[in-house]
Amino acid sequence: MPGKEPASTAYRAPALEKGLDILELLAGQTDGITLSQIAQKLSRSVQEVYRVVLSLERRGYVTRGGDDTFRLSMKLFDLASNNLPVKRLLQYAHPMLENLAMSVEQIVIVSVVDGWSTRVVVVAENPAPIGFRVRLGTHRPLLKSASGRTLLAFQPDAYRQRLTAELSEASTENRKDSDRYIAAIEKIRQRGYEIVSNETLRGITDVSFPVLDANDVAHAALTMPYLVWVENAVNVVDAAQQLYECASALSKEIGGHLPRPDFSDIKSVAGK
């Protein structure tokens, strides 16, 4: 149910919270849903959600289908994309990522933090005859994805520590697994990137670099799920070096600097 994140209850805006609950609910639906379904899922009356849904529709955040079902529009994504650093980053990233994907014959994605998840905002498809897809807009848990851990590793200290603590407490996994993820985040900060094999799919090595601003804060993560197949034209180490160059160029575009790391861990992890 929407609204899981811990928040202070000292000051509340009920109408605003209803609107946010509806937006978060619609964001998790693959098909449109009716007013009565929205009310049922939020444990509210139809009258409570009616005016809020109509206001969201009037402002363009929600669209109505011919069958009177409601869906989330792309307006929230457009608003986030119009944030100056993100907008500049996305405009600059598209052609660079397409060239990179063509050069290494691997899919390349850009992800940003979206609540307790990552959201894929740019996808450069793998031009090779063998590969797999990552859909634009895909969500993945922050702790359980290379992109998410990379994004967490390069946030301001207080924010990173608070968020990782909240994520660990909310996790259904045991404490040992949570501690493992937190240790991985600290290692990413020291190493400068994430490298992990067989986390999501066997045969895939995820390599992820941050895109940093002038304060060394990650606005995005640039990730290559490197697929091993018989005729790879570029090995994983060379592909990772090209991925770094791209992340470094994107960092410069928003005023940051990405130090060149030691790539020795890539060969050892990918070879396992």
Side-chain angles (χ1 to χ4, degrees):
M1 184 171 176
K4 293 180 182 178
E5 291 85 350
S8 171
T9 57
Y11 302 98
R12 301 178 68 89
L16 174 60
E17 291 191 4
K18 286 180 193 176
L20 294 174
D21 284 346
I22 291 167
L23 291 173
E24 291 175 2
L25 172 66
L26 292 176
Q29 305 297 312
T30 55
D31 299 314
I33 58 176
T34 64
L35 271 175
S36 61
Q37 289 172 322
I38 293 172
Q40 182 181 18
K41 288 178 180 292
L42 294 178
S43 300
R44 296 181 181 275
S45 69
V46 173
Q47 290 77 13
E48 280 186 284
V49 301
Y50 175 71
R51 290 188 178 183
V52 180
V53 171
L54 291 189
S55 295
L56 293 171
E57 181 186 18
R58 185 174 62 251
R59 297 292 295 266
Y61 292 97
V62 167
T63 60
R64 189 197 304 237
D67 54 355
D68 276 340
T69 59
F70 294 89
R71 293 174 174 81
L72 191 67
S73 75
M74 292 296 290
K75 187 169 183 178
L76 287 172
F77 179 78
D78 292 339
L79 287 175
S81 298
N82 283 331
N83 177 273
L84 186 57
V86 176
K87 184 175 183 179
R88 184 187 304 157
L89 177 65
L90 295 181
Q91 288 175 339
Y92 195 64
H94 279 282
M96 182 178 294
L97 264 62
E98 288 172 2
N99 289 337
L100 175 60
M102 184 71 68
S103 173
V104 299
E105 294 189 337
Q106 301 287 340
I107 190 171
V108 184
I109 63 175
V110 175
S111 303
V112 297
V113 174
D114 186 2
W116 287 11
S117 303
T118 65
R119 178 188 288 270
V120 175
V121 294
V122 180
V123 177
E125 298 288 355
N126 178 4
I130 298 175
F132 67 100
R133 290 186 60 212
V134 175
R135 289 183 296 179
L136 189 67
T138 295
H139 282 90
R140 291 278 295 142
L142 276 169
L143 284 179
K144 296 182 182 179
S145 63
S147 297
R149 292 189 296 273
T150 300
L151 285 163
L152 281 172
F154 295 94
Q155 298 301 319
D157 289 344
Y159 174 78
R160 184 182 73 259
Q161 291 165 5
R162 177 177 62 82
L163 190 55
T164 52
E166 290 176 0
L167 287 166
S168 296
E169 290 173 7
S171 175
T172 58
E173 300 175 341
N174 61 45
R175 184 66 192 176
K176 183 178 179 181
D177 288 333
S178 296
D179 290 345
R180 176 169 57 86
Y181 286 129
I182 292 172
I185 290 169
E186 292 305 316
K187 188 170 184 179
I188 293 166
R189 282 183 64 83
Q190 296 169 12
R191 183 170 52 196
Y193 61 90
E194 172 66 309
I195 170 74
V196 60
S197 290
N198 304 321
E199 182 174 54
T200 304
L201 293 171
R202 294 193 182 280
I204 299 290
T205 296
D206 292 308
V207 186
S208 185
F209 285 93
V211 178
L212 303 178
D213 66 11
N215 296 313
D216 294 331
V217 173
H219 284 246
L222 183 58
T223 305
M224 177 186 299
Y226 184 92
L227 174 63
V228 178
W229 54 299
V230 175
E231 299 180 0
N232 286 115
V234 180
N235 66 48
V236 64
V237 177
D238 291 342
Q241 290 176 341
Q242 292 189 46
L243 185 69
Y244 160 76
E245 296 295 345
C246 189
S248 178
L250 291 174
S251 296
K252 289 178 182 177
E253 184 64 19
I254 58 172
H257 170 68
L258 185 63
R260 188 173 188 86
D262 179 358
F263 292 93
S264 60
D265 281 355
I266 292 178
K267 188 174 181 179
S268 60
V269 171
K272 289 182 179 178

